[in-house]
Amino acid sequence: MPHQCTNCGHVFEDGSKEMLSGCPDCGGNKFQYHPGEVPDEPAVDDAEQSEPPEPEGGSVTGAVGRAANRVRDAVSSGPPSTDAVSDEDEATDDGATVDTATGDDGATVDAATGEDSANATATSDDEDSANATATSDDEDAVPQSGGPTSSTADPDRAGSGAAPETEEVERADSGTDPAVDGVDTGDTATTADAADEAGVQASTADEEDGAQADARSEVVDMSSLPDRADDGRVVKEPDDSEDRPDIEDLRQELNDQFESIRIVAPGQYELNLMELYDRQEYIIALQEDGQYVIEVPDAWEAPDPTETE
Amino acid sequence: MGLFAELRDSVSRVTASLFADDSEPKRIGIYGPPNAGKTTLANRIARDWTGDAVGPESHIPHETRRARRKEDVEIKRNGKTVNIDIVDTPGVTTKVDYSEFLDHDMEKDEAVRRSREATEGVAEAMHWLREDVDGVIYVLDATEDPFTQVNTMLIGIIESRELPVLILANKTDLEDANIQRVSNAFPQHETIPLSALEGDNMDEVYEQIAKYFG
């Protein structure tokens, strides 16, 4: 997370060795480091919470989307993955139109589902916004859920990340709009109930995929981080959130393994001499804010320096 | 194709001129912890044999934050001539803290900047050690305990690279200097006492340089 290619914005995990040979996307060899990013994130979250509607939409769609997913899993306790896929396909096909078309009949049940899902994900923050989305819903739902998608459609995401993102949005649509679930279950009432059930199961259901399971085990603040990061400068793989539970431990471990210069504070550094010696590239310039410039050697091999005679 | 051949020829020409020639000066890195007197020694050697200095000296640690090179220093000893490039490197340490500069009448901003540059300097020094030196003069402050992580690690690296190394126990002009402690710490290497500041025992230093790096 903290390393970012200054050229194309590709983000690397703290301690990633991938970047040692240059950015795999663009070949760039300048990276900046965001040291405070991960620990600071809850604070950033709160700050952003009150800011523009887009991040809000992102978290709500996320929360509602997860609830919807739970509904789906709860209802179709058979093979969830294929169901989900077919769901998504349907949603992809008619997500927007279903939304607007069924706006009227969806409205009341909608609100209930929205609330439940917001509660189910156990956040006080999102409840209000979830209600807001759910009640004002159907007209808003499209632009809101559309917002994050378009804003996060970076070059990076376009390739691999686009699918999960739209999937999430579609789920959000289906979550706020039971009509889509109705296609599966044929019964909106059941869906609403199932949503409650899903809320209860929130912490135990384990048949979801990794990112969702993780998102559930976390507070929503954390799980909505990818979206927030997208709204900011940093593009992030959805899977990155898997590392978050013990990010501090992981960071420590990676630091021990890898970091050659550790910035303790501005003007305070710890140096791992062996790492500095072992690395072929070297750090040309450190900057106050934690950014640094490294030289990545490419085709040129240094002559064998052990030849002393 | 023609371009490629031309390029290849020019590369091999350069390579040949760099590495095939035995009379090419050896690149001798002056390494050691901060404030051991590396720059004072580099200046002493440069002044003695070329008349120029290498860089400014000071009592404040990390005065040298970029490796400085004095090329083609010709040292004559017992009828033998040794050509070396002297590389004065920033002091190597595992921790750099701006607050230690604050004691030297420095503003915080400047101290932070110095600390950052010093850190870059260490990275550079380590990089040079890996890539670019043919021999090492390891300078220690004889008034300080030589058994430190940095000294052990650097000497270990130098040994693993099989580079010729001379250990200089500097600051013999100071009362606390304990040369024996230094030579005990690294018994496998030649230890030469000197005062780079006063110029004491430089003859032996040059003799050993000629012997080790000639």
Side-chain angles (χ1 to χ4, degrees):
Chain A
M1 165 71 165
H3 304 270
Q4 184 186 24
C5 175
T6 57
N7 193 26
C8 71
H10 189 104
V11 174
F12 301 87
E13 293 248 16
D14 196 1
S16 165
K17 299 219 175 200
E18 203 184 359
M19 57 190 278
L20 295 185
S21 49
C23 177
D25 284 1
C26 70
N29 58 6
K30 286 189 179 179
F31 305 97
Q32 61 178 335
Y33 183 65
H34 299 280
E37 196 91 335
V38 174
D40 285 343
E41 264 165 344
V44 172
D45 249 2
D46 290 340
E48 281 186 16
Q49 198 75 304
S50 59
E51 273 178 11
E54 254 187 28
E56 240 176 59
S59 72
V60 171
T61 50
V64 175
R66 279 188 295 279
N69 210 42
R70 256 175 255 126
V71 170
R72 208 167 292 137
D73 286 344
V75 169
S76 58
S77 53
S81 58
T82 50
D83 261 13
V85 168
S86 64
D87 268 358
E88 282 156 34
D89 288 342
E90 269 178 38
T92 318
D93 290 335
D94 55 9
T97 49
V98 169
D99 251 342
T100 46
T102 60
D104 284 340
D105 63 352
T108 48
V109 189
D110 231 4
T113 321
E115 255 174 35
D116 283 344
S117 55
N119 290 336
T121 48
T123 46
S124 50
D125 279 349
D126 287 26
E127 193 173 342
D128 287 341
S129 46
N131 285 339
T133 331
T135 47
S136 68
D137 202 12
D138 297 274
E139 290 85 7
D140 289 340
V142 175
Q144 261 191 354
S145 52
T149 324
S150 55
S151 75
T152 54
D154 293 0
D156 199 40
R157 274 213 146 202
S160 59
E165 179 64 30
T166 49
E167 179 186 317
E168 208 174 61
V169 172
E170 282 147 13
R171 282 176 186 163
D173 285 346
S174 58
T176 49
D177 191 345
V180 174
D181 288 316
V183 174
D184 290 324
T185 61
D187 184 358
T188 48
T190 329
T191 314
D193 288 344
D196 284 332
E197 263 177 49
V200 177
Q201 290 175 353
S203 59
T204 54
D206 54 4
E207 59 266 51
E208 294 170 3
D209 66 41
Q212 288 161 341
D214 175 68
R216 215 178 332 95
S217 69
E218 293 279 334
V219 288
V220 157
D221 279 351
M222 289 292 276
S223 66
S224 58
L225 281 177
D227 288 336
R228 302 205 175 282
D230 285 346
D231 291 328
R233 304 179 304 271
V234 183
V235 182
K236 201 157 162 355
E237 302 288 337
D239 289 343
D240 282 5
S241 59
E242 295 213 316
D243 290 334
R244 294 191 180 278
D246 47 1
I247 188 76
E248 282 308 317
D249 294 347
L250 186 70
R251 173 181 290 256
Q252 189 54 46
E253 193 185 323
L254 287 173
N255 284 350
D256 291 345
Q257 287 173 0
F258 163 77
E259 197 161 13
S260 49
I261 294 180
R262 184 167 172 209
I263 304 169
V264 181
Q268 293 179 320
Y269 305 96
E270 289 176 7
L271 297 97
N272 183 339
L273 296 181
M274 277 318 288
E275 283 295 340
L276 285 172
Y277 174 74
D278 280 340
R279 292 169 74 161
Q280 208 175 13
E281 81 289 348
Y282 77 106
I283 292 174
I284 301 165
L286 290 158
Q287 282 159 32
E288 302 277 357
D289 53 3
Q291 296 191 10
Y292 53 82
V293 178
I294 64 173
E295 181 199 81
V296 181
D298 38 30
W300 286 101
E301 265 313 313
D304 184 0
T306 55
E307 287 174 10
T308 54
E309 283 301 319
Chain B
M1 282 307 280
L3 183 67
F4 178 73
E6 202 176 300
L7 185 68
R8 191 187 53 201
D9 285 352
S10 89
V11 166
S12 60
R13 241 194 336 270
V14 168
T15 318
S17 71
L18 274 180
F19 306 112
D21 191 351
D22 277 348
S23 68
E24 195 68 24
K26 294 258 171 50
R27 210 169 280 147
I28 307 303
I30 301 182
Y31 279 84
N35 238 17
K38 294 177 293 299
T39 304
T40 308
L41 173 71
N43 282 342
R44 168 71 59 184
I45 297 174
R47 283 202 192 100
D48 280 357
W49 300 98
T50 71
D52 293 335
V54 171
E57 308 157 18
S58 93
H59 292 293
I60 311 175
H62 297 294
E63 181 65 30
T64 307
R65 299 184 293 282
R66 281 279 170 237
R68 294 201 190 88
R69 194 193 303 207
K70 186 78 192 168
E71 296 192 335
D72 220 2
V73 178
E74 193 179 80
I75 296 176
K76 293 194 178 77
R77 197 63 9 186
N78 302 332
K80 193 178 173 191
T81 301
V82 184
N83 282 303
I84 57 173
D85 291 348
I86 302 268
V87 185
D88 181 28
T89 66
V92 175
T93 181
T94 51
K95 265 187 188 165
V96 181
D97 189 338
Y98 75 91
S99 59
E100 74 181 270
F101 302 132
L102 296 178
D103 301 336
H104 296 275
D105 269 350
M106 212 176 282
E107 292 298 316
K108 188 186 170 187
D109 284 355
E110 199 194 337
V112 168
R113 184 174 54 80
R114 188 184 181 95
S115 152
R116 192 179 68 238
E117 290 171 359
T119 306
E120 292 165 14
V122 176
E124 191 183 12
M126 296 307 290
H127 185 76
W128 278 69
L129 182 57
R130 176 191 166 102
E131 305 284 342
D132 232 1
V133 294
D134 304 317
V136 173
I137 295 176
Y138 200 81
V139 182
L140 286 166
D141 180 343
T143 67
E144 302 279 335
D145 183 3
F147 290 100
T148 65
Q149 188 194 357
V150 168
N151 293 340
T152 311
M153 191 180 288
L154 280 182
I155 295 288
I157 289 173
I158 293 162
E159 286 172 353
S160 73
R161 291 272 318 278
E162 296 179 355
L163 293 174
V165 58
L166 273 181
I167 294 186
L168 303 193
N170 193 21
K171 307 196 184 182
T172 54
D173 53 305
L174 298 180
E175 267 185 29
D176 305 346
N178 187 341
I179 297 148
Q180 194 57 44
R181 189 169 53 176
V182 176
S183 46
N184 286 348
F186 305 105
Q188 68 277 37
H189 299 290
E190 186 89 26
T191 299
I192 309 153
L194 84 157
S195 167
L197 187 66
E198 303 292 335
D200 298 343
N201 205 30
M202 288 306 291
D203 277 347
E204 189 185 351
V205 171
Y206 292 134
E207 204 161 298
Q208 295 293 343
I209 287 177
K211 183 174 147 195
Y212 270 71
F213 308 125

